[in-house]
Amino acid sequence: KNEVEQSPQNLTAQEGEFITINCSYSVGISALHWLQQHPGGGIVSLFMLSSGKKKHGRLIATINIQEKHSSLHITASHPRDSAVYICAAKTQGGSEKLVFGKGMKLTVNP
Amino acid sequence: NAGVMQNPRHLVRRRGQEARLRCSPMKGHSHVYWYRQLPEEGLKFMVYLQKENIIDESGMPKERFSAEFPKEGPSILRIQQVVRGDSAAYFCATQDQLNTEAFFGQGTRLTVV
């Protein structure tokens, strides 16, 4: 079992839909990153959070430390949101390296 | 602030050659992480460096791979005698101190032919 699990693995949505991407982790963390990667492209950090909720534009990220679960929500989805969304746990102590989920490929159709 | 710069963006090497991948951190960032993304797989940690020191290399293959982060200049990930299985995207992420947000470079896509 991976230390960071994401669901679903793939999602196709229609423009305008509300989208939720889930992430569960089993390691101790100091923080959790949500990342975005376009095909053949670089990686952009969307959020780093260690408690509660953060909002940026149409994106909202939440984390429940007790349940070891985080969600990324996209409101009013748009075709330009099509990308792979990756959840990454920043491990506690030591080097605080990131442990990644396998990512969720989102396709938003017009 | 130009962000995290990686070069080259694409690198093609023949089997047996050496590959050198460079990562220039954001200004003020002294912590560098290297990650590898194999085709159809998730990202995996390779090595964590601070200026002139390797702190954690638990994700580095034992042979052919090395990393450095000199006092001056970029961090270098070096792969000697490349094999086809080294073909992957290599990303670096940098931050100014522990427990702060990591910023990623655009990655270097290595193809071994």
Side-chain angles (χ1 to χ4, degrees):
Chain A
K1 189 178 186 299
N2 292 332
E3 293 173 301
V4 179
E5 295 274 1
Q6 288 188 240
S7 63
Q9 289 189 337
N10 293 281
L11 181 63
T12 300
Q14 288 300 122
E15 184 173 357
E17 286 185 9
F18 179 83
I19 291 162
T20 295
I21 306 166
N22 295 302
C23 174
S24 297
Y25 55 92
S26 56
V27 293
I29 69 166
S30 61
L32 189 118
H33 275 268
W34 279 102
L35 309 168
Q36 181 192 57
Q37 185 177 26
H38 282 99
I43 294 171
V44 174
S45 179
L46 299 174
F47 295 101
M48 184 182 88
L49 66 166
S50 53
S51 65
K53 176 178 168 180
K54 285 190 176 181
K55 184 176 188 292
H56 185 255
R58 294 181 295 106
L59 301 178
I60 303 166
T62 63
I63 189 167
N64 184 319
I65 298 293
Q66 285 73 31
E67 295 187 4
K68 294 191 172 183
H69 181 269
S70 177
S71 294
L72 176 68
H73 306 283
I74 306 174
T75 61
S77 60
H78 190 275
R80 65 175 174 265
D81 297 326
S82 299
V84 175
Y85 292 85
I86 303 168
C87 167
K90 186 183 267 283
T91 55
Q92 264 178 339
S95 62
E96 293 200 349
K97 61 196 175 200
L98 293 175
V99 178
F100 299 84
K102 291 190 175 179
M104 191 218 76
K105 184 177 179 181
L106 173 66
T107 304
V108 181
N109 292 319
Chain B
N1 193 338
V4 180
M5 304 298 291
Q6 286 189 250
N7 67 80
R9 291 287 305 277
H10 299 275
L11 181 61
V12 179
R13 283 287 177 266
R14 293 187 183 279
R15 280 180 295 170
Q17 289 185 318
E18 178 180 288
R20 281 185 178 239
L21 288 62
R22 295 174 190 79
C23 170
S24 296
M26 288 177 70
K27 188 176 180 180
H29 286 196
S30 60
H31 299 248
V32 173
Y33 297 79
W34 284 94
Y35 297 98
R36 178 165 66 173
Q37 187 176 39
L38 291 165
E40 307 303 321
E41 291 190 23
L43 288 141
K44 295 281 195 289
F45 168 76
M46 298 184 76
V47 62
Y48 163 49
L49 310 100
Q50 292 181 27
K51 278 288 185 183
E52 300 186 89
N53 293 301
I54 296 173
I55 308 300
D56 181 352
E57 55 182 347
S58 58
M60 288 273 271
K62 294 286 185 273
E63 297 176 349
R64 302 187 297 108
F65 285 71
S66 62
E68 62 178 11
F69 188 15
K71 188 176 179 182
E72 301 290 339
S75 176
I76 307 281
L77 179 67
R78 182 181 176 209
I79 312 172
Q80 294 178 290
Q81 299 176 327
V82 295
V83 300
R84 289 227 171 100
D86 297 332
S87 296
Y90 293 82
F91 290 92
C92 73
T94 77
Q95 48 194 80
D96 59 353
Q97 53 187 304
L98 285 175
N99 204 29
T100 58
E101 187 169 4
F103 291 85
F104 284 79
Q106 289 289 306
T108 293
R109 279 153 182 84
L110 172 67
T111 302
V112 180
V113 297

